[in-house]
Amino acid sequence: MRKSKNKKNQRGNKVKIKIGTQVRERPSWDQYFMSIARLASTRSTCLRRQVGAVIVKEKKILATGYNGAPMGLKHCLDIGCLREELGIPSGERHELCRATHAEQNAIVQAATFGVSIKDSIIYSTTHPCILCSKLLINAGISRIIIEDSYPDEMSRQMLDEAGVEIIIIGQDTKERKRGEGKRK
């Protein structure tokens, strides 16, 4: 017989569930989707940063993405990283990156299959860069949930101006920090 203490948790904390004599923690929706974004990041072929993204609407996954070379092209794993060779710091000179970013790939995946992502949420292991932020704004993403920051102040400012809410959740943190913006 199954007994459960599965109360709604407004703060995104794990909920303890008792099944028979075993007790396990059930992840919140945010933790669940972020773990899928982390799993997507394991497919990354970038030598510098492995990023995964999941686009969700009404608790349903619409698309996923990870950073890597465009389809059919050689990966940085195979030919090296130009940005690394030139000593370009993270967050600068995106045009010299061979990879398509995780958020971009998730948007393209949705578009390829005709899936609208307007008013959806994206879970990303890293704060989006300015290029991804502009795409997310135009795609109508209403909320971005991230696990890690990224050195791109212009991205933060533009997302705030557009009213896109940013929420930071850590891999093991129970608290959520809310960004300034709310989509108008």
Side-chain angles (χ1 to χ4, degrees), residues 15-118:
V15 177
K16 290 189 180 190
I17 299 171
K18 185 174 182 180
I19 301 173
T21 58
Q22 293 182 330
V23 176
R24 69 176 176 92
E25 289 188 351
R26 183 176 188 215
S28 70
W29 285 108
D30 285 349
Q31 292 162 332
Y32 171 72
F33 291 123
M34 187 58 76
S35 70
I36 295 170
R38 278 194 301 275
L39 181 62
S41 77
T42 65
R43 294 279 307 149
S44 170
T45 58
C46 179
L47 299 174
R48 286 182 144 191
R49 184 185 298 260
Q50 290 69 51
V51 180
V54 178
I55 299 176
V56 175
K57 188 170 186 176
E58 298 174 7
K59 299 179 184 169
K60 305 292 183 272
I61 296 173
L62 303 179
T64 63
Y66 55 88
N67 56 331
M71 290 188 324
L73 301 183
K74 292 180 181 176
H75 296 286
C76 298
L77 288 172
D78 303 321
I79 62 171
C81 175
L82 177 62
R83 293 171 55 83
E84 196 67 31
E85 290 170 18
L86 297 175
I88 298 170
S90 187
E92 296 178 15
R93 306 284 318 269
H94 299 288
E95 74 278 7
L96 294 178
C97 182
R98 183 173 186 80
T100 304
H101 291 183
E103 301 92 335
Q104 294 167 346
N105 276 325
I107 291 168
V108 168
Q109 184 184 83
T112 298
F113 293 103
V115 177
S116 172
I117 57 174
K118 186 176 184 337

Side-chain angles (χ1 to χ4, degrees), residues 120-136:
S120 61
I121 299 169
I122 189 165
Y123 291 81
S124 181
T125 56
T126 302
H127 192 289
C129 71
I130 186 62
L131 301 175
C132 291
S133 294
K134 290 188 278 187
L135 291 173
L136 295 169

Side-chain angles (χ1 to χ4, degrees), residues 119-183:
D119 297 322
S120 61
I121 299 169
I122 189 165
Y123 291 81
S124 181
T125 56
T126 302
H127 192 289
C129 71
I130 186 62
L131 301 175
C132 291
S133 294
K134 290 188 278 187
L135 291 173
L136 295 169
I137 291 165
N138 280 350
I141 298 289
S142 60
R143 181 180 296 158
I144 300 171
I145 300 178
I146 61 170
E147 190 170 69
D148 197 7
S149 66
Y150 186 76
D152 195 330
E153 188 56 35
M154 188 175 188
S155 170
R156 283 178 189 66
Q157 291 170 354
M158 195 169 280
L159 289 165
D160 186 49
E161 182 182 341
V164 178
E165 184 179 20
I166 302 168
I167 299 173
I168 304 169
I169 62 172
Q171 207 165 345
D172 297 317
T173 59
K174 294 180 181 179
E175 296 297 317
R176 293 160 29 141
K177 298 177 187 174
R178 296 194 179 269
E180 297 295 318
K182 275 246 186 212
R183 194 172 273 281

